[in-house]
Amino acid sequence: MGWPRRAALPGMERTTVLITGCSSGIGLGLAARLAADPARRFKVYATMRDLAKGEWLLERLGGCCPDTLELLQLDVTDPCSLAAAAQRVQGQQLDVLVCNAGVGLMGPLETCSEQAMKTLFDVNVFGAVRTIQAFLPAMKSRRAGRIIVSSSIGGLQGLPFNAVYCATKFALEGLCESLAIVLHPFNIHLTLVECGPVHTSFLDNLQRPDPEGSEMRDLDAETQGLYRRYLGHCQSIFRDTAQEVEEVLPLFLEAIGSPCPPLRCASTQLLAPLWRLRLSSPDGSAYVRAMHDFVFGDSEAGEDQP
């Protein structure tokens, strides 16, 4: 799939898109793709916390593209930064808002500090809420717009040693599903893009304890063993099944260009059988056993000992 079949809002000469988290990964790739549109159908406001990292985006485009791309400083945890970005875009009739900024946290729950957990929620949940709040009133007054939120398969099902990260994505799923119902009569479409493993710097940057580090010292030996095996599982998953950013971008392009985009779309079917099991077995016990076996091996083989 290439470019959207048509602009998000038919009749507009150019579709204005603001994207958070553009310093790397999906945000950078999407901003570059839209800004490089041969038909110059998009004006992209690519935002990031550290504007110095915008050089990577400019390099992707071979230099400045003043007609199609503008870099903006935006920290989704800072209301003043958000207000300044909203002020800069004011009058531009923002058509598409892409909430992509996010951070990760992995490890046994006992090793997750309260501050790390608060930071995760501040970026992944409250950051998205603040961003939507900043731009939603103008969309509602025009009765038109698109909001696209980078979610995760971890927002649909619990993943071992990702309890707090999944909690933030579960929260986003509930937030957006609830909001989509209210936005329906305003002709504002909301789409959650649920990604699986993607080759970005996200995995390198997420907080996670060293299995041999001091954070693990007071943890029981069995959980230490499970965590080491989980890290090995992650390495094999990223080696064998992780997607490239370019494979994920068509979902965002479809959400921008489709006349009636879906509430949810998944970039991978990696865990689809487990997701279906979760739905078909409402009490959750079958899913817990199946996910344990998928990650750690057959639970009846006694392999969960370190």
Side-chain angles (χ1 to χ4, degrees), residues 151-159 165-174 177 192-196 263-269 271-272 274-276 278-279 287 291:
S151 185
S152 167
I153 56 174
L156 299 174
Q157 51 204 122
L159 306 175
Y165 177 74
C166 286
T168 66
K169 294 301 183 178
F170 268 61
L172 269 184
E173 292 279 332
E177 184 172 294
L192 289 149
V193 180
E194 289 136 353
C195 298
L263 172 63
R264 290 187 173 90
C265 52
S267 72
T268 178
Q269 296 299 306
L271 297 181
L274 286 166
W275 167 241
R276 288 192 290 270
R278 187 174 183 271
L279 294 176
Y287 173 77
M291 177 59 82

Side-chain angles (χ1 to χ4, degrees), residues 179-262:
L179 186 59
I181 300 166
V182 177
L183 296 184
H184 179 72
F186 289 91
N187 191 36
I188 299 172
H189 295 277
L190 197 155
T191 299
L192 289 149
V193 180
E194 289 136 353
C195 298
V198 180
H199 286 300
T200 68
S201 59
F202 180 83
L203 191 63
D204 296 329
N205 294 335
L206 66 77
Q207 295 184 59
R208 55 179 170 177
D210 182 337
E212 310 303 329
S214 59
E215 295 170 281
M216 304 287 289
R217 196 169 297 154
D218 297 329
L219 195 64
D220 64 276
E222 189 169 343
T223 303
Q224 290 186 42
L226 288 170
Y227 180 56
R228 284 192 290 268
R229 284 162 58 190
Y230 175 72
L231 292 178
H233 171 83
C234 283
Q235 289 178 345
S236 65
I237 288 290
F238 269 85
R239 181 183 63 244
D240 300 333
T241 65
Q243 296 176 291
E244 299 299 331
V245 169
E246 293 300 316
E247 297 177 73
V248 173
L249 293 186
L251 295 177
F252 289 85
L253 300 177
E254 182 69 19
I256 292 172
S258 172
C260 188

